[in-house]
Amino acid sequence: MSIRFRYILCSAYKIRAPVVFKTRQNLAVFSRPSQGEYRTDKYRGFLSAASVSLPVVQGTRHSQHKNRVIHPLVSSSSFSTLYTDSNISNSSSTSETEGSASDCDSSGDIMDLKNVVKKLNRFAPTTLAEDWDNVGLLVEPTPPHKVNTLFLTNDLTEEVLEEAVTKNADMILAYHPPIFSAMKRLTMRTEKERIIVKAIEKRIAIYSPHTSYDAVDGGVNDWLASGLGEAKVDPLHQTYSTCYPTPGGYKLEFLDCEQGLTHTLKSVPGVSDIMLSVNDNMVRMRASMNCTTSGLPRALEILNKNEDVKGTIQITQLMKPPIPHTGMGRLCTLKEPINLKQSLERVKKHLNLPHVQLAVGKEKSLDSPVKTIAVCAGSGSTVLRGSLADLYVTGEMSHHEVLAAVAQGTSVILCNHSNTERGYLQVIRNKFDEQFEGKVKVIVSEVDEDPLKVF
């Protein structure tokens, strides 16, 4: 049986567990990734798939080595070295292998653009971004495109782009998306248009993470909070998974004495996972099933026609599971309270700023104790609104939002928008140096700066 036929066969039957096929002196391991497609190793002719932290299956017997990392293609003679104690990160929206030979070109020194994007998405999946945002790969040169130098900036202005060209950047990571509002033409009329045109001319890819970096664990807001002192840090607005833990958003339960309704509901679109269990009185069966938003009213229409069942219906709305330590903004509960003046100095030191703006909360002073601090990088207007804290730290807020915070007794420190974000570029430069294993040179713009200055 050829590898190609095995791929077609297993894809048709939607096999999800990893399967090992032994072929001559090589071992092909594959699983059905949750997203993306299978990849074929064009150099060796074997089917390749993502490394997964799942039990190994060889034939019909489960290996005793569970929860170990399985590498896609290895020699059968080195099967005993398949297992490592490392864990696969679950923060990615993709399932491709990390650090595989296919991530680089034949020289092994330069990474392909698509693999750089995969690694960036592993660190902070674009699904974490706000719905209104425009994140991910925004400008893609015609393939193949190799990335030797990755250039980091907070804002991509014409001056910053010129710097990137001078430093031979193959790709720019711009925290703020240079393409946000719709563009109907690409001319020399506006700065945004000129930036995109020149990037295309120079074959420079552009990627923007924006609010996905705000939400991710270890992202911009965590960095901003880290300068305030030892504290318990929680997201102000929790991020939830993009899918429900089971099919459908509702759990529907009722008592059925004849089980006839259960059989009828099996054919209703949007109804799944039907289960029956014995009720306490042993007379009627308890039926349970999952329903989608469209399937629930169809199921209720059927059940409400039965008077005996109608009064036993229970509906539970299912919640999407929260992603730990992930979300917009951060609420910091300091281990040891400090006063407002100390908070001010810590913020200035952390952001390396000589001046910031301060609005003192109603009936508060510079000596007032500060135990809780709500932070939001950039514009904290909507994220911080209504948060109960002694102090807000953000880049900017409107005049009336500051007045509202002060009225509730919350002091506000404003640092200018990008000053609360730019310092994080140094953090991710170090992260990327490690993540790209030295195959991509990562540099931070020296021209990029906040446009507002205090004189």
Side-chain angles (χ1 to χ4, degrees):
M1 184 185 295
S2 69
I3 291 295
R4 178 177 176 81
F5 181 73
R6 289 170 185 156
Y7 164 66
I8 296 171
L9 177 65
C10 295
S11 176
Y13 280 91
K14 298 183 179 179
I15 296 175
R16 293 181 182 272
V19 178
V20 177
F21 286 110
K22 190 173 181 181
T23 307
R24 296 196 185 100
Q25 296 301 315
N26 293 285
L27 208 62
V29 182
F30 78 90
S31 68
R32 187 173 186 271
S34 58
Q35 295 186 32
E37 300 177 350
Y38 295 100
R39 296 183 292 111
T40 303
D41 191 326
K42 63 181 179 181
Y43 300 107
R44 298 181 61 187
F46 288 107
L47 183 64
S48 173
S51 297
V52 290
S53 182
L54 290 171
V56 182
V57 179
Q58 187 167 6
T60 58
R61 294 175 177 267
H62 282 262
S63 168
Q64 297 300 314
H65 299 279
K66 295 186 177 182
N67 299 321
R68 304 290 183 139
V69 176
I70 309 169
H71 294 278
L73 283 170
V74 296
S75 168
S76 59
S77 62
S78 61
F79 184 71
S80 60
T81 64
L82 273 171
Y83 311 104
T84 68
D85 289 325
S86 60
N87 294 318
I88 295 294
S89 171
N90 62 357
S91 64
S92 171
S93 60
T94 60
S95 345
E96 289 79 359
T97 51
E98 186 169 350
S100 65
S102 61
D103 282 353
C104 306
D105 67 0
S106 57
S107 69
D109 295 327
I110 304 175
M111 298 190 74
D112 185 83
L113 173 62
K114 66 179 182 180
N115 292 301
V116 173
V117 171
K118 288 175 188 175
K119 287 181 178 290
L120 293 176
N121 287 342
R122 283 194 189 100
F123 171 66
T126 54
T127 52
L128 298 180
E130 295 287 86
D131 294 338
W132 48 262
D133 209 353
N134 188 35
V135 297
L137 186 62
L138 305 184
V139 174
E140 180 182 10
T142 304
H145 186 69
K146 306 300 179 182
V147 179
N148 182 50
T149 302
L150 175 61
F151 183 88
L152 310 182
T153 183
N154 201 76
D155 295 297
L156 184 55
T157 62
E158 288 185 286
E159 293 76 15
V160 171
L161 178 59
E162 188 59 41
E163 179 192 11
V165 171
T166 302
K167 294 184 177 179
N168 299 315
D170 307 292
M171 182 177 186
I172 295 174
L173 184 148
Y175 172 76
H176 288 134
I179 301 176
F180 192 77
S181 301
M183 289 183 173
K184 293 187 177 181
R185 57 183 57 83
L186 290 175
T187 66
M188 296 292 104
R189 188 172 60 89
T190 68
E191 182 194 34
K192 292 294 184 183
E193 292 175 38
R194 292 193 296 270
I195 287 172
I196 302 306
V197 169
K198 186 166 185 176
I200 294 173
E201 289 176 342
K202 298 295 183 179
R203 288 186 55 78
I204 299 176
I206 301 177
Y207 181 97
S208 179
H210 203 201
T211 53
S212 61
Y213 276 17
D214 293 352
V216 73
D217 184 14
V220 181
N221 282 308
D222 286 307
W223 166 78
L224 184 57
S226 67
L228 301 175
E230 188 176 355
K232 179 179 179 294
V233 181
D234 299 295
L236 279 172
H237 302 279
Q238 181 73 55
T239 295
Y240 292 85
S241 171
T242 55
C243 61
Y244 290 101
T246 57
Y250 299 91
K251 182 179 181 180
L252 174 62
E253 297 176 288
F254 60 91
L255 296 180
D256 187 6
C257 58
E258 299 179 357
Q259 301 182 26
L261 288 173
T262 307
H263 291 293
T264 302
L265 290 171
K266 286 182 179 179
S267 61
V268 175
V271 176
S272 61
D273 293 353
I274 299 177
M275 298 178 62
L276 292 173
S277 59
V278 180
N279 197 36
D280 293 339
N281 58 22
M282 303 295 289
V283 176
R284 293 195 286 183
M285 301 291 289
R286 175 166 290 277
S288 174
M289 61 203 66
N290 294 325
C291 300
T292 62
T293 303
S294 60
L296 181 63
R298 297 190 187 113
L300 290 176
E301 183 179 359
I302 294 172
L303 295 179
N304 285 329
K305 293 177 181 178
N306 191 310
E307 292 297 328
D308 293 333
V309 172
K310 189 175 180 179
T312 68
I313 296 174
Q314 292 184 347
I315 302 172
T316 304
Q317 185 173 4
L318 303 177
M319 290 186 63
K320 296 179 180 181
I323 303 175
H325 315 298
T326 304
M328 296 300 166
R330 295 293 185 267
L331 178 63
C332 309
T333 304
L334 299 176
K335 184 177 181 180
E336 298 293 337
I338 56 178
N339 61 38
L340 183 56
K341 184 177 181 180
Q342 290 173 307
S343 302
L344 196 66
E345 294 305 318
R346 289 186 182 185
V347 170
K348 290 164 63 177
K349 180 180 179 181
H350 183 53
L351 301 182
N352 193 28
L353 295 174
H355 306 285
V356 294
Q357 292 178 295
L358 171 67
V360 180
K362 186 177 181 180
E363 300 180 356
K364 301 294 175 62
S365 69
L366 290 178
D367 295 322
S368 296
V370 173
K371 177 69 174 179
T372 55
I373 306 175
V375 305
C376 178
S379 176
S381 301
T382 56
V383 174
L384 298 178
R385 186 180 300 148
S387 298
L388 299 178
D390 300 318
L391 175 65
Y392 289 170
V393 176
T394 187
E396 60 179 330
M397 292 173 66
S398 76
H399 172 76
H400 295 287
E401 287 161 338
V402 172
L403 288 178
V406 169
Q408 71 177 20
T410 299
S411 299
V412 179
I413 295 177
L414 301 182
C415 312
N416 283 345
H417 190 111
S418 65
N419 288 336
T420 57
E421 304 161 336
R422 187 169 288 102
Y424 183 66
L425 296 178
Q426 299 293 340
V427 176
I428 58 172
R429 181 186 65 177
N430 297 332
K431 288 179 182 288
F432 292 162
D433 281 339
E434 180 179 349
Q435 190 171 8
F436 295 132
E437 300 174 349
K439 296 181 176 70
V440 176
K441 181 182 179 182
V442 184
I443 56 178
V444 178
S445 173
E446 298 174 2
V447 175
D448 176 44
E449 62 180 1
D450 194 277
L452 293 174
K453 297 287 184 283
V454 177
F455 292 96

